[in-house]
Structure formats: C-alpha cells, structure tokens
Amino acid sequence: MSGGLSPQATFVASLLAVLFFGAVFELIRRRRLQERYALLWMVAAVLMLAGVLASHWTLSSLANLTGITDTSVAILSLLLFFVLVILLHQTTVNSRLSEQNTRLMQEMALLRAEVETAARPAGRKDPARRPESPGGAPGTRP
Amino acid sequence: MPEVLVFVPAWNEAETVAAVIRELKAELPEADVLVIDDGSTDQTARVSREAGAIVASLPANQGLGAALQTGYRWAARHDYTVIAHCDSDGQHPAREVRRLVEAVQSGECDLALGSRFLDPPADAESNPAIYFPSPMRRIGIGLFARLLSGATGQHFSDATSGLRAANRRVIALFAEQYGADYPELESLTRAVRAGLRVVEYSVVMEPRKAGASKITPLKSFYWVFNGVVSLSAACLRPANRVGPS
C-alpha cells in the first residue's frame, strides 16, 4: 500500500528541508524573523526532514492514522491543514498589530490635541475651570 | 459646575463640519467641542480648528469606532462629567444633542440614545426637512434593533443612531474598550450588561447638508455580518464591571 519515497525523491526532499532550515536560520541572523516565529519554522523544517528520511514509516502511519489509504492525499490534506492553522495564527497576529496601531494613532491624535490646546493662548474658554490646566504637562493628566 | 464635552467624528466632512461646530457652540455654550478627524484628506481639521473646536487628528483613517473611542479617551483624561457625540454631516440638530445631555445630567440615565423610530412625527417620510431612513435601511435597522433587544432583554427601537450622550461611568467603560468597525450594537450590549441605564429618546434628524453618505450596499452587508458576530461575541463575554458614577 504505502512504500517509502524513492531514493531520488528522498534526496530532493531532504535537500529542500535542509535548505528551508538554512533559510530560516539566515532570516533570524539578519534579524528579519523574530525568534518566537523562528521556533515554529525550525520545528517545521526538522519535522520535514525527519518525515522524509523515515518516509516509509511516516507514510504508512499517516495512512493508518487518518484512514486515508492514498498516502499522497493524506500528506496533502495534513499539509493544507497545517498551512490553514498558520494562516489563522497570522490573522491573529495581524489583528493584534492593527489594534496596537489604532491605539498608537489615537494616542498621537490625543497628544497633538493636547499640544495644540496648550499652545493656544485663549483656546479654552475658561482654563481656570480645569485644575490641571495651568502648568500641567500635556499627557500627564489622570 | 458640570463639564460637558461634545465630540464629533469626522472623515472628509470639511463642507459641513464647521456649521455643526458653530451650531453646537451656540446651543451648548458651556460645552467644549472636540472634532476627531479620522484621517481626512480634505480640510476637515483646519476648518474645525477655525470654527473653534479642539481637533484630534488620527494620522490615517481608522473607522468610526476608533474615532469615537478617541473622543471617549479625551473625555476620560480630562475628567468631563458628561459627553455627547453626534455626526459631522449636520443630520443631528444641536438642540437634540442638548436634550440628550440634559437627560444624562438629570440622572435619568447613564447613556442616552437618540432614536429616530421611537416616536417619529407623522410626516417623517414626506417632510423634506426631516431625515428618515429609506424602507430598505429601515428593515436593516429594525432587524438590528430586534437583535439588540433580544441580546439585552431591553427594548430598542433604533440600534444604529450615532447620536448619544453619556456620563462618567459610560466614558470609563468605552474609553477602555470600543469596537473598531461598526461598534453600535456591541457597545450598547456591553453597556446594558454592565448594568448601566441605557434610555432611548425620540429625536428628529435633518437631511445631511452636503456630501454623500458613506454607506454602500457592500458596506451594509459587511455591517450586518459584523454586527451579528460582534453582538454574539459580546453576549458570550463576561459582563464588564463599572464603578459608581
């Protein structure tokens, strides 16, 4: 049912896995990948390599585990699922970033308004009404 | 002496925003007016400043929710006791803003909502001086009001009005967290679940003075979808706790 990969395929696949690992490492070295994501991708690369080298075992146990007898279908489904999980994770990262971005912009808008109102001599109708206004540094109010 | 802040989120509304500010200042002379310029590419910020408003300019367009939250944050930082917010296109008459502010000041409620459907004048649909949503929009808004009523256990006639007034308890709640995209339903759900008194008041709105509505069919669809999701999510989160007023 499920034999391992042919020697040639094993060679190509392991080469790709090693290259992938190298690429991840290089990205970290150039500080273009944060360490926390590096772990994920390095583990992925090692799993890839291990899976290729022990292809006979991986393919058959994959088929047994999923009940999908066609090993290529099993492998593709599993990969697709992995990619989906990563994409979902990326979306959460994106959402968090955009939220922080909004927060930053709000803070900037508020600070600019603080500066402008502080610079305007009679900007406020009744500055005495505001206890923190005279001499209060912008942005330090509770 | 009560301190009132009226804030007006504005995105490319240079044509109308100055008149809104002047009307607010005339109707509520004791109030400060803050315009949140939501990344406008026109003269909205300059025009607002010249009309005498404080202006907080977001460097890029962040959506209505983020703009409103900016207003709530300003209010929280400067310790205003009552806030109101209204649209920048002139649809919300300043006298209605004042009525809502007075309702909050009197202690009748924590959050006052301007509703177009609570008690509309008989000629609302035919009178050109009154803005009344089209039948299509009324269906959508009605659906939302029903959803919101179901989620909160309190009857709402208009879920999506941008005319509100609120006191410190609400300011604290919304300054901390406010939905970014279409925040009306979620924010009201949170307020009711936090035990705040949310009360609707009948208001009459005017047709917008210039420019076009930013609601498109595609946005409306997204809005409905987003509303349903955020409303369900709001119901599944633990209720917020708010301090005494």
Side-chain angles (χ1 to χ4, degrees):
Chain A
M1 192 165 61
S2 54
L5 293 172
S6 71
Q8 194 187 351
T10 305
F11 175 74
V12 173
S14 5
L15 188 69
L16 285 178
V18 169
L19 281 177
F20 186 80
F21 189 88
V24 173
F25 194 81
E26 182 59 17
L27 283 174
I28 302 168
R29 202 183 62 81
R30 293 191 191 168
R31 295 183 205 284
R32 281 176 44 193
L33 188 67
Q34 279 185 349
E35 274 87 346
R36 64 178 107 157
Y37 299 118
L39 182 70
L40 170 78
W41 289 115
M42 282 189 154
V43 169
V46 169
L47 281 181
M48 241 193 278
L49 190 62
V52 169
L53 293 179
S55 61
H56 190 79
W57 180 82
T58 19
L59 291 181
S60 60
S61 47
L62 202 66
N64 288 335
L65 195 74
T66 56
I68 306 172
T69 43
D70 190 335
T71 48
S72 51
V73 170
I75 252 186
L76 272 176
S77 319
L78 208 73
L79 265 177
L80 262 179
F81 184 70
F82 179 67
V83 169
L84 270 181
V85 169
I86 290 192
L87 277 177
L88 188 63
H89 170 70
Q90 285 304 326
T91 320
T92 66
V93 172
N94 240 331
S95 303
R96 197 178 59 227
L97 277 177
S98 102
E99 208 179 298
Q100 289 170 343
N101 201 33
T102 300
R103 196 89 188 214
L104 206 63
M105 287 204 202
Q106 289 177 330
E107 207 52 47
M108 213 183 128
L110 291 175
L111 283 177
R112 252 166 75 181
E114 294 280 5
V115 171
E116 275 176 20
T117 47
R120 221 194 291 180
R124 290 282 173 70
K125 282 182 294 298
D126 187 5
R129 212 168 66 191
R130 229 167 287 275
E132 69 279 10
S133 279
T140 56
R141 290 156 191 175
Chain B
M1 174 144 184
E3 285 227 36
V4 181
L5 173 73
V6 181
F7 55 84
V8 184
W11 180 30
N12 293 335
E13 300 280 8
E15 277 182 77
T16 52
V17 73
V20 172
I21 297 165
R22 277 193 290 271
E23 207 192 320
L24 285 169
K25 286 190 165 270
E27 190 74 38
L28 291 144
E30 79 282 8
D32 283 340
V33 177
L34 168 73
V35 169
I36 299 116
D37 158 30
D38 190 10
S40 299
T41 49
D42 66 357
Q43 298 293 318
T44 297
R46 193 177 58 82
V47 166
S48 307
R49 225 171 265 127
E50 281 168 7
I54 308 165
V55 177
S57 281
L58 293 159
N61 183 254
Q62 292 293 294
L64 183 61
L68 288 173
Q69 192 184 24
T70 312
Y72 282 109
R73 291 221 162 118
W74 180 267
R77 271 176 212 193
H78 293 275
D79 227 17
Y80 287 94
T81 49
V82 175
I83 62 98
H85 60 77
C86 65
D87 289 355
S88 53
D89 56 12
Q91 283 194 310
H92 300 151
R95 61 172 186 282
E96 304 283 32
V97 177
R98 187 163 57 86
R99 275 184 52 224
L100 295 191
V101 166
E102 284 167 358
V104 173
Q105 279 173 332
S106 73
E108 277 171 35
C109 58
D110 295 304
L111 177 54
L113 286 180
S115 166
R116 295 159 283 189
F117 308 113
L118 195 60
D119 187 18
D123 62 342
E125 271 186 274
S126 53
N127 190 339
I130 297 175
Y131 167 75
F132 205 63
S134 65
M136 264 314 271
R137 278 198 191 167
R138 285 212 296 278
I139 292 173
I141 297 169
L143 176 78
F144 265 148
R146 212 154 293 150
L147 272 175
L148 184 66
S149 306
T152 55
Q154 177 183 335
H155 179 260
F156 283 96
S157 63
D158 188 354
T160 59
S161 144
L163 177 56
R164 296 180 179 183
N167 65 12
R168 274 211 182 107
R169 304 175 76 192
V170 177
I171 294 172
L173 182 71
F174 290 167
E176 194 215 318
Q177 169 71 49
Y178 204 73
D181 281 334
Y182 294 104
E184 293 89 353
L185 293 180
E186 196 233 348
S187 61
L188 288 179
T189 309
R190 279 177 63 229
V192 172
R193 282 165 55 93
L196 297 168
R197 291 161 303 153
V198 181
V199 177
E200 281 189 324
Y201 295 85
S202 173
V203 295
V204 172
M205 296 186 186
E206 293 171 3
R208 61 181 295 131
K209 301 287 181 286
S213 167
K214 286 171 182 113
I215 305 168
T216 63
L218 194 67
K219 273 190 190 164
S220 310
F221 176 76
Y222 174 64
W223 191 76
V224 168
F225 179 75
N226 192 292
V228 171
V229 172
S230 63
L231 191 67
S232 346
C235 289
L236 293 172
R237 291 191 195 107
N240 291 86
R241 263 181 250 140
V242 286
S245 42

